Amino acid sequence: MHRIGIDLGGSNIVVGIVNSGKILHKKSVGTPNNINAETLIAKIVRLCNEILDENKIELSKISSIGIGVPGSVNPYTGELIKAPNLGIYNINISHGMKRLLGVDVYVDNDANCAALGEFEYGAAKGTTSSITVTLGTGIGGGIILNGKIYHGAFFGAGEIGHHVIKTGGKLCNCGKKGCWEAYASATALRRIGGGKGPKRIFGDARSGDTKAIMALERYIEYLCEGLANISNIFQPEIIVIGGGISNEGEYLLQLIDKHIKGKIFDEQILTKFAIAELGNDAGVVGAAMLGEG
Amino acid sequence: MHRIGIDLGGSNIVVGIVNSGKILHKKSVGTPNNINAETLIAKIVRLCNEILDENKIELSKISSIGIGVPGSVNPYTGELIKAPNLGIYNINISHGMKRLLGVDVYVDNDANCAALGEFEYGAAKGTTSSITVTLGTGIGGGIILNGKIYHGAFFGAGEIGHHVIKTGGKLCNCGKKGCWEAYASATALRRIGGGKGPKRIFGDARSGDTKAIMALERYIEYLCEGLANISNIFQPEIIVIGGGISNEGEYLLQLIDKHIKGKIFDEQILTKFAIAELGNDAGVVGAAMLGEG
């Protein structure tokens, strides 16, 4: 049986037909602005029908649909509590879509879906607990414990980007001061590097540019402060690093390895670090997995 | 059926006969220095026999024995991996004691036992997830998720005292810089208050002493930085505060309530805060519960 996974992002809606972690077909459209929840649901339903039609797959071959949304979700009821970037609050996406399609629909947070994708079919495959950290414009986090997404008591756990690593430090976009995100996101690296893009900074550092090396070392120190905090608190088997910064691959892992050592409380029992393997597909793959729980 | 709970501390060994969260009988002896693991096990076994004899309870009435130890433990095998304060490494306490007593023996970390005690019979009773934070000489942490102790992948999760809240900050006893423990333990409050004891600082602040109030506000800011981090990452239903500082009760909770507001990522969904209810008994009660899992 196939499953449909949907990554409902602030810019694009990506829908994929997935089987055993492989995306067989994928389709992407821009996320409409300023539309109400009902119209958005209708649009997603239409997108599902289109991708099925275009690939001559019958709806009866789809065992479940999963959607990752940028916001807080009650995964047990399918209610989207709030997605500020989409301007949508308190709507039951799951019921709405199931009524139109007749297929079970599961909803979860987008970072949780990406973490589940990496856990089942990516860098954390074969482990029992993993935390996926996405280093992009901000820092996202998805926590998998004992093979399941960990939601917290009120479905909002995993705001690891907004744990404070420097009391009284830099102002974060969230309004708090000293958040990890303000020091270790791709945006933060750009600031530390005097406005240069992360790719450029990494490139210059690899070529031996002293200024770039110094900027990068500062960034990695901040990055490792938060990674070590996560490891000291949760001690997951593996921490998976995704997002734009993770494109630096093995070089990034080497830097982390060098800088994290003194920061782990018990150095004998190191959480492993790995680069995300599914890239932008993690969200779609993970969303498709939601129905397997 | 009764159970025996043992709190094996650096200074004292406390053994209790427990039934449904109530300690019926309790006995405490000093922890011997510089003895090997076998002698320590023999001493604990003798202590168990003594408390049973003194209270005319037969060993056959004891369904299990649980021990909380200050160190890292593999709770599945009963092996104490290391307890640096006791100078004991790699010994299977569980097997050793079971051989001598013929009763199932469970072992876990002492902070985990205290958290389990508070979860089952104390301040977190009736919740599904709680984190117990002990503010004493250091900061200890025990995590209960879905009703069970959360151990992490290598049985060392919950080192919340050693998550960094101030990158490059004060040197902690663990050798790292900027740990929460270096800012929010009772020891840290004493330092912030210019050497006065926590009880004195709280007392002076309650009486309106400006200097004490300022010291206390600084301390509470640091305390809340870490509490908010835990809440933003884990979002447990409740955070239970134990240890010496928790004796300040309702006044402490009011201060936390005042200072934590702006630090929680999603202010609509606040983790509750409560004062530990079992005091020093939490470890014995929790240890006795280990066999119920």
Side-chain angles (χ1 to χ4, degrees):
Chain A
M1 289 290 274
H2 301 325
R3 294 174 192 274
I4 290 180
I6 300 165
D7 189 355
L8 175 51
S11 325
N12 292 294
I13 305 172
V14 185
V15 56
I17 297 176
V18 183
N19 196 318
S20 305
K22 295 254 179 302
I23 298 180
L24 308 178
H25 307 286
K26 191 159 72 171
K27 194 178 166 82
S28 174
V29 299
T31 307
N33 291 325
N34 301 316
I35 58 168
N36 64 34
E38 284 73 18
T39 315
L40 182 64
I41 288 175
K43 189 173 178 74
I44 297 173
V45 166
R46 198 161 58 240
L47 205 54
C48 290
N49 283 323
E50 282 171 15
I51 195 171
L52 290 169
D53 287 351
E54 285 162 19
N55 297 287
K56 302 194 181 2
I57 294 170
E58 286 180 31
L59 186 59
S60 63
K61 293 276 181 291
I62 302 297
S63 58
S64 73
I65 298 175
I67 313 180
V69 298
S72 59
V73 168
N74 179 335
Y76 302 105
T77 62
E79 191 191 23
L80 197 171
I81 299 163
K82 61 175 171 180
N85 291 345
L86 301 174
I88 291 176
Y89 300 84
N90 300 313
I91 175 93
N92 198 307
I93 297 197
S94 169
H95 289 187
M97 283 187 61
K98 190 179 172 176
R99 207 177 50 236
L100 294 169
L101 285 166
V103 177
D104 282 340
V105 179
Y106 301 87
V107 189
D108 212 312
N109 170 270
D110 53 0
N112 289 346
C113 290
L116 186 61
E118 289 292 341
F119 180 81
E120 294 284 351
Y121 294 105
K125 196 175 163 179
T127 68
T128 57
S129 58
S130 72
I131 296 184
T132 295
V133 176
T134 310
L135 305 173
T137 313
I139 295 185
I143 301 168
I144 310 287
L145 300 180
N146 295 320
K148 288 193 188 310
I149 295 172
Y150 172 73
H151 293 99
F154 314 104
F155 317 116
E159 286 297 349
I160 55 175
H162 300 283
H163 92 272
V164 168
I165 64 155
K166 194 149 186 171
T167 298
K170 294 214 174 294
L171 189 66
C172 180
N173 281 329
C174 76
K176 299 198 301 157
K177 280 184 177 176
C179 290
W180 192 33
E181 176 167 307
Y183 289 90
S185 60
T187 315
L189 175 54
R190 185 181 289 271
R191 189 191 64 231
I192 293 167
K196 286 183 197 163
K199 207 174 156 182
R200 172 83 185 280
I201 297 168
F202 272 93
D204 289 354
R206 279 180 210 248
S207 322
D209 179 276
T210 315
K211 235 173 119 184
I213 291 172
M214 282 174 61
L216 194 53
E217 298 248 324
R218 257 183 78 199
Y219 170 77
I220 297 289
E221 272 290 308
Y222 290 130
L223 177 62
C224 287
E225 209 72 91
L227 291 175
N229 279 350
I230 295 169
S231 172
N232 290 332
I233 293 173
F234 271 103
Q235 207 179 72
E237 196 171 335
I238 191 168
I239 293 178
V240 176
I241 298 171
I245 297 284
S246 73
N247 293 330
E248 305 301 331
E250 198 52 43
Y251 182 55
L252 175 66
L253 288 182
Q254 282 166 17
L255 288 169
I256 290 172
D257 192 52
K258 180 181 157 198
H259 286 257
I260 204 146
K261 285 267 160 63
K263 301 182 193 300
I264 300 291
F265 186 71
D266 189 338
E267 296 197 20
Q268 291 171 296
I269 42 174
L270 283 176
T271 293
K272 281 192 284 286
F273 293 91
I275 298 293
E277 292 176 2
L278 302 185
N280 291 332
D281 287 344
V284 169
V285 171
M289 301 292 307
L290 292 175
E292 289 196 16
Chain B
M1 288 290 273
H2 301 324
R3 295 174 192 273
I4 290 180
I6 300 165
D7 188 355
L8 175 52
S11 325
N12 292 294
I13 305 172
V14 185
V15 57
I17 297 175
V18 182
N19 197 318
S20 306
K22 294 253 179 304
I23 298 180
L24 306 178
H25 307 285
K26 190 159 72 171
K27 193 177 167 85
S28 174
V29 299
T31 308
N33 290 326
N34 302 316
I35 58 168
N36 62 35
E38 284 72 18
T39 316
L40 182 63
I41 287 174
K43 189 173 178 73
I44 296 173
V45 167
R46 198 160 58 242
L47 205 54
C48 289
N49 284 323
E50 282 171 14
I51 195 171
L52 290 169
D53 287 352
E54 285 162 19
N55 297 287
K56 303 194 179 6
I57 295 169
E58 285 180 33
L59 187 58
S60 63
K61 293 276 181 292
I62 301 297
S63 58
S64 74
I65 298 175
I67 312 180
V69 299
S72 58
V73 169
N74 179 335
Y76 302 105
T77 62
E79 192 192 24
L80 197 172
I81 300 163
K82 59 176 174 182
N85 291 346
L86 302 173
I88 292 176
Y89 300 84
N90 300 313
I91 175 91
N92 198 306
I93 296 196
S94 169
H95 290 186
M97 283 187 61
K98 190 179 173 174
R99 210 177 46 238
L100 294 169
L101 285 167
V103 177
D104 282 340
V105 178
Y106 301 88
V107 189
D108 212 312
N109 170 268
D110 53 359
N112 288 347
C113 290
L116 186 61
E118 289 292 341
F119 180 81
E120 293 285 351
Y121 294 106
K125 196 175 164 181
T127 68
T128 58
S129 59
S130 71
I131 296 183
T132 295
V133 175
T134 309
L135 305 173
T137 312
I139 295 184
I143 301 168
I144 310 287
L145 300 180
N146 295 321
K148 287 191 189 311
I149 294 172
Y150 172 74
H151 293 99
F154 314 105
F155 318 117
E159 286 298 347
I160 54 174
H162 301 284
H163 92 273
V164 168
I165 64 154
K166 193 148 189 173
T167 298
K170 295 217 173 292
L171 189 65
C172 180
N173 282 329
C174 76
K176 298 198 301 157
K177 280 184 177 176
C179 290
W180 191 32
E181 176 167 307
Y183 290 90
S185 61
T187 315
L189 176 54
R190 185 181 289 271
R191 189 192 64 233
I192 292 167
K196 286 184 197 163
K199 206 172 157 184
R200 172 82 186 282
I201 297 168
F202 272 94
D204 288 355
R206 280 180 210 246
S207 322
D209 179 277
T210 315
K211 236 174 117 183
I213 291 172
M214 282 174 62
L216 194 53
E217 298 248 323
R218 258 184 77 200
Y219 170 77
I220 297 289
E221 272 292 306
Y222 290 129
L223 176 62
C224 286
E225 209 71 270
L227 291 175
N229 279 350
I230 296 169
S231 172
N232 289 332
I233 293 173
F234 271 105
Q235 206 179 71
E237 196 170 335
I238 191 168
I239 294 178
V240 177
I241 298 170
I245 298 285
S246 73
N247 293 331
E248 304 301 330
E250 198 53 42
Y251 182 55
L252 175 66
L253 288 183
Q254 282 167 15
L255 288 170
I256 290 172
D257 192 53
K258 180 180 156 198
H259 286 257
I260 204 147
K261 285 268 160 63
K263 301 184 193 300
I264 300 290
F265 186 72
D266 189 337
E267 296 197 20
Q268 290 171 296
I269 42 175
L270 282 175
T271 292
K272 281 192 284 281
F273 293 91
I275 298 293
E277 291 177 1
L278 302 185
N280 291 333
D281 286 343
V284 169
V285 170
M289 300 292 307
L290 292 174
E292 290 197 15

